[in-house]
Amino acid sequence: MTETDRAKYRPCVGIMLVNGEGEAFVGKRIDNKEGDRWQMPQGGVDPGEDLDTAMLRELAEETGARPDHLQILHRLPEELLYELPEELQGKLWGGRYVGQRQYWYLVRFTGADSDIDLDAHKHPEFCEWKWVEPELLPEMIVPFKRDIYRTVVEGFRDLL
């Protein structure tokens, strides 16, 4: 992929946050317009920010998880790409991107459920959260991200 092509995709990190039982964290987005859709934490990488820092920041903003409750287990080596459906292109992220290119992390959460705080950030993204079996993740996400979730689950399967 050329740098011009890469520039069309928002740089992003995604996190499969798992508890001691190997279940994955999912949150229901506050702005969810498609019914009962859940997603794992994810977010953009700020200019000049390294991937690990972006991942920890996103987890803190979206889940309230503190670094001392997190153990980074693995990062998939390749970027995963998805494109937004046509009806969303030009509407998200100021119309600058056609999709996202994501680096995915597997992170163990060592805190208690009471340490999750969806209101930790001034602009919460999730209104509910729960732990689920990783195999269920692809069916819980919006359809245009399902292939990414299948790849993530398969990529981390042996580490769960």
Side-chain angles (χ1 to χ4, degrees):
M1 176 182 298
T2 68
E3 280 306 309
T4 302
D5 291 336
R6 285 176 54 81
K8 295 178 185 176
Y9 294 86
R10 180 177 179 239
C12 185
V13 291
I15 306 102
M16 181 187 281
L17 183 67
V18 294
N19 63 16
E21 289 77 45
E23 298 168 310
F25 174 100
V26 289
K28 188 173 186 179
R29 290 188 57 90
I30 287 176
D31 61 358
N32 187 339
K33 307 266 191 290
E34 294 199 30
D36 197 32
R37 300 288 185 211
W38 299 74
Q39 73 176 45
M40 292 184 280
Q42 65 164 53
V45 177
D46 293 337
E49 188 175 41
D50 68 66
L51 295 173
D52 288 359
T53 302
M55 181 273 297
L56 291 171
R57 177 183 50 75
E58 285 295 332
L59 272 179
E61 290 175 3
E62 296 185 10
T63 71
R66 297 189 332 245
D68 59 324
H69 290 154
L70 303 172
Q71 178 187 8
I72 300 171
L73 301 177
H74 190 65
R75 186 181 87 199
L76 293 179
E78 71 280 352
E79 281 183 314
L80 303 178
L81 299 168
Y82 77 82
E83 288 191 9
L84 294 167
E86 271 190 44
E87 65 270 14
L88 293 178
Q89 288 184 16
K91 294 181 181 173
L92 298 178
W93 312 303
R96 184 173 172 193
Y97 304 106
V98 299
Q100 293 196 80
R101 49 187 173 89
Q102 302 176 317
Y103 278 102
W104 277 88
Y105 285 81
L106 176 63
V107 178
R108 172 116 27 236
F109 179 67
T110 61
D113 285 1
S114 59
D115 293 319
I116 300 288
D117 180 7
L118 300 182
D119 295 318
H121 190 259
K122 61 184 171 187
H123 302 291
E125 293 194 29
F126 300 131
C127 57
E128 297 176 51
W129 73 275
K130 60 185 175 181
W131 298 110
V132 301
E133 293 299 323
E135 293 77 26
L136 300 176
L137 292 167
E139 296 308 313
M140 300 179 82
I141 190 66
V142 292
F144 63 90
K145 293 184 183 179
R146 285 190 179 146
D147 286 342
I148 294 279
Y149 273 39
R150 286 183 190 104
T151 301
V152 169
V153 170
E154 186 58 35
F156 293 146
R157 182 176 312 281
D158 293 340
L159 300 170
L160 296 173

